[in-house]
Amino acid sequence: MSVLNRRQTLAVLASTAGAGLLPETVTAAVAKKPAFIPCLNMSTIRGQKLGFVKELETASKAGFRSVEIWMDTLQNFIKEGNTPAQARKIVGDLGITIENAIGFAPWIVDDEAARAKGLAQLKTEMELLAEVGCMRVATPSVGAQTPQSAKIDLQKAAERYRAILEISDQTKVIPHLELWGFSKNLNKLSEVMYVATESGHPSARLLLDVYHLYKGGSSLDTLKLVGKPGVEIFHINDYPASLPRETIVDADRIYPGDGVAPIAQILKTIKNPDRPIVLSLEVFNKTYYAQDALVVAKTGLDKINKVIAGI
């Protein structure tokens, strides 16, 4: 077909769109994009101690097409004599995507020697993730999160975040600055926003969480100030009414929709018309750990779908 004929065909298709005459393939191409992609963070079934492959298989059987893995689980898989290529093949054969990895490299600490070691650790982990096809990694304030930790100057934190973003220029695995509501550092939305913007790097991204926004006391009225490109993946969970933020802990998180978190408000705020947001279920509930992992995963997917319906 000539260029002219292709243009004429497109013009006809455009002119007949309002009359409902578009071919089925064209109609599918312009179909409404999903606003959110359900994802399973392996924290949710981590207590069952399934290992790398069985975790992926469980997520796939439950109906998830996206997952978040943990670095140590992947590293154990490699230590057992397997290769990154094998991991990538398993993921591909299951028809799922690894959206992100949960890592704990101490990249932000004040101690220069410890920080240098943390950067080297993170670079090695990024390289491994790239080999298995995971192009994001969570980077919270590891090593500076306890009540005894020194308060880190935010400008220095921004410089240190830029340093790991520059590693991503080589590996193509983007470190997402994670908010931890319980941490001594980077426990508020305002702090992670400052660090991300002051890094001055185009790849800067935030990793936020329903529970951590509550735990850290961040105002949801300012969540709208986060630019739409800044959030690609978001941790979804809920919390009960009986636990104030001062005493609630990670293990108290529950399925979305089972508590009192203003999830609908949050999702409407972060919703991006240009691309779907990955909603990753991250809980550490011992009650769930005592159940069959597949049941937990299926329940989690059902809860996510009910929450996002109509948003």
Side-chain angles (χ1 to χ4, degrees):
M1 184 183 291
S2 68
V3 172
L4 179 59
N5 285 339
R6 284 199 295 272
R7 288 176 179 170
Q8 290 172 335
T9 299
L10 290 172
V12 171
L13 290 173
S15 67
T16 59
L21 299 177
L22 283 175
E24 197 172 307
T25 52
V26 177
T27 301
V30 297
K32 184 180 178 181
K33 295 179 182 178
F36 303 102
I37 297 173
C39 174
L40 181 65
N41 184 316
M42 295 309 180
S43 69
T44 306
I45 55 173
R46 186 171 172 84
Q48 284 84 345
K49 303 185 185 304
L50 302 177
F52 182 71
V53 176
K54 288 186 178 179
E55 285 182 348
L56 296 175
E57 290 174 344
T58 299
S60 180
K61 287 177 182 177
F64 282 99
R65 301 274 64 87
S66 292
V67 297
E68 269 189 292
I69 63 172
W70 282 51
M71 276 306 310
D72 62 346
T73 308
L74 171 60
Q75 289 166 333
N76 287 337
F77 175 78
I78 300 300
K79 289 176 183 177
E80 290 166 359
N82 302 292
T83 67
Q86 287 175 304
R88 189 164 189 153
K89 185 178 186 304
I90 290 168
V91 171
D93 289 345
L94 290 171
I96 56 180
T97 299
I98 301 179
E99 301 285 0
N100 188 37
I102 305 301
F104 298 97
W107 60 274
I108 196 174
V109 295
D110 281 330
D111 184 275
E112 288 189 24
R115 191 168 69 252
K117 187 176 180 180
L119 263 63
Q121 174 188 334
L122 186 56
K123 183 175 186 294
T124 298
E125 292 175 353
M126 285 180 171
E127 291 169 345
L128 173 58
L129 291 172
E131 288 189 80
V132 302
C134 175
M135 307 315 292
R136 301 183 185 98
V137 62
T139 48
S141 53
V142 175
Q145 79 277 18
T146 69
Q148 296 75 32
S149 300
K151 189 67 176 176
I152 296 174
D153 178 81
L154 289 181
Q155 192 60 43
K156 290 182 179 178
E159 294 168 3
R160 293 165 191 175
Y161 182 46
R162 183 178 179 91
I164 63 175
L165 286 165
E166 289 174 349
I167 297 175
S168 77
D169 291 337
Q170 306 166 41
T171 65
K172 308 306 178 186
V173 176
I174 307 301
H176 285 230
L177 188 64
E178 186 172 11
L179 183 152
W180 271 356
F182 62 81
S183 178
K184 182 70 173 288
N185 290 280
L186 305 188
N187 68 349
K188 288 188 178 293
L189 181 61
S190 57
E191 292 181 343
V192 292
M193 286 178 64
Y194 182 92
V195 170
T197 54
E198 281 297 306
S199 73
H201 195 286
S203 295
R205 296 291 186 273
L206 301 183
L207 178 54
L208 306 178
D209 181 301
V210 172
Y211 160 80
H212 282 300
L213 288 169
Y214 173 64
K215 177 66 178 176
S218 293
S219 170
L220 297 185
D221 290 330
T222 57
L223 184 59
K224 62 186 177 183
L225 298 178
V226 180
K228 297 298 183 184
V231 177
E232 296 179 358
I233 184 167
F234 190 94
H235 286 166
I236 189 169
N237 40 60
D238 210 331
Y239 45 81
S242 58
L243 295 172
R245 68 180 185 87
E246 291 80 10
T247 58
I248 196 171
V249 297
D250 279 345
D252 295 320
R253 302 186 211 187
I254 53 180
Y255 292 123
D258 283 4
V260 297
I263 298 176
Q265 176 190 348
I266 291 172
L267 297 187
K268 288 176 182 177
T269 302
I270 67 170
K271 185 177 179 180
N272 188 341
D274 298 323
R275 61 177 297 168
I277 302 292
V278 176
L279 291 183
S280 185
L281 177 64
E282 185 182 63
V283 296
F284 300 83
N285 195 298
K286 292 180 180 179
T287 301
Y288 303 164
Y289 288 163
Q291 301 171 21
D292 179 78
L294 183 57
V295 171
V296 172
K298 285 182 175 180
T299 303
L301 180 57
D302 181 60
K303 297 286 187 179
I304 294 174
N305 285 331
K306 285 180 179 177
V307 166
I308 64 179
I311 293 180

